[in-house]
Amino acid sequence: MLKISKIITQNVTVANLTGKRHMLTSARLLANVESSSGNSNPDEPIDITNPFQKDPQQCILCKHNIHPHYKNVKLLSQFQSPYTGRIYGRHITGLCKQKQEDVEKAILRAQQFLLMPGYHKDLDFLQDPKLFDPEKPVRPHKY
């Protein structure tokens, strides 16, 4: 019955639904069902996607396909503490391992080229929107 309804939905057009054309005859429809079924058993289960499956977790940079660069100081300053200038860890930022390493390398390079301060956050970037909350880490500490 499922294959018949599948073929009906494939063969029916808007014109068929409005009554401008005649629908396929049942004999022709059954012939299509028999020819398309082949050797498959109608009692076999149908593969469908799980509607309850959650999307895989992605870090904010992977989700938007952003590659950290040492010249993008505004982005890099979001991963730096405003008071001490330390780089936040993965458990706070929620980044994947590769992007966290890229961010750390880019911050260190920007500090070497004096594009970013080393011991505090630049005052121009204190009012930027937060990508994460440092007070509520994604993964809490062991202790």
Side-chain angles (χ1 to χ4, degrees):
M1 186 66 189
L2 182 64
K3 291 187 179 184
I4 292 173
S5 63
K6 185 186 265 187
I7 291 177
I8 289 174
T9 56
Q10 289 175 352
N11 292 329
V12 172
T13 62
V14 177
N16 289 346
L17 295 176
T18 57
K20 293 181 181 174
R21 292 186 182 176
H22 298 291
M23 292 199 56
L24 293 173
T25 62
S26 60
R28 202 166 139 205
L29 185 62
L30 288 175
N32 285 341
V33 170
E34 291 171 0
S35 66
S36 66
S37 64
N39 295 334
S40 65
N41 186 1
D43 294 332
E44 288 181 2
I46 300 171
D47 292 331
I48 60 171
T49 59
N50 185 359
F52 302 106
Q53 185 178 11
K54 294 182 180 180
D55 293 333
Q57 285 284 354
Q58 283 189 323
C59 71
I60 188 86
L61 299 181
C62 290
K63 189 187 307 182
H64 298 291
N65 197 17
I66 298 173
H67 303 288
H69 194 262
Y70 73 95
K71 292 180 184 179
N72 191 353
V73 179
K74 191 168 187 171
L75 172 71
L76 296 177
S77 68
Q78 302 226 348
F79 299 101
Q80 187 181 28
S81 171
Y83 308 110
T84 62
R86 291 188 61 196
I87 301 170
Y88 288 123
R90 275 183 64 203
H91 69 281
I92 296 175
T93 61
L95 295 177
C96 62
K97 188 174 181 179
Q98 181 63 42
K99 292 295 181 180
Q100 180 70 25
E101 290 174 3
D102 292 346
V103 165
E104 289 174 2
K105 286 179 187 176
I107 288 175
L108 292 176
R109 179 172 268 187
Q111 288 173 351
Q112 288 174 350
F113 291 137
L114 300 178
L115 298 174
M116 289 179 69
Y119 295 106
H120 60 85
K121 190 173 183 176
D122 199 3
L123 298 176
D124 296 336
F125 304 128
L126 286 178
Q127 301 301 322
D128 287 346
K130 305 290 183 206
L131 295 178
F132 53 87
D133 187 9
E135 301 296 323
K136 297 180 181 176
V138 177
R139 293 184 302 270
H141 280 288
K142 300 182 259 188
Y143 47 90

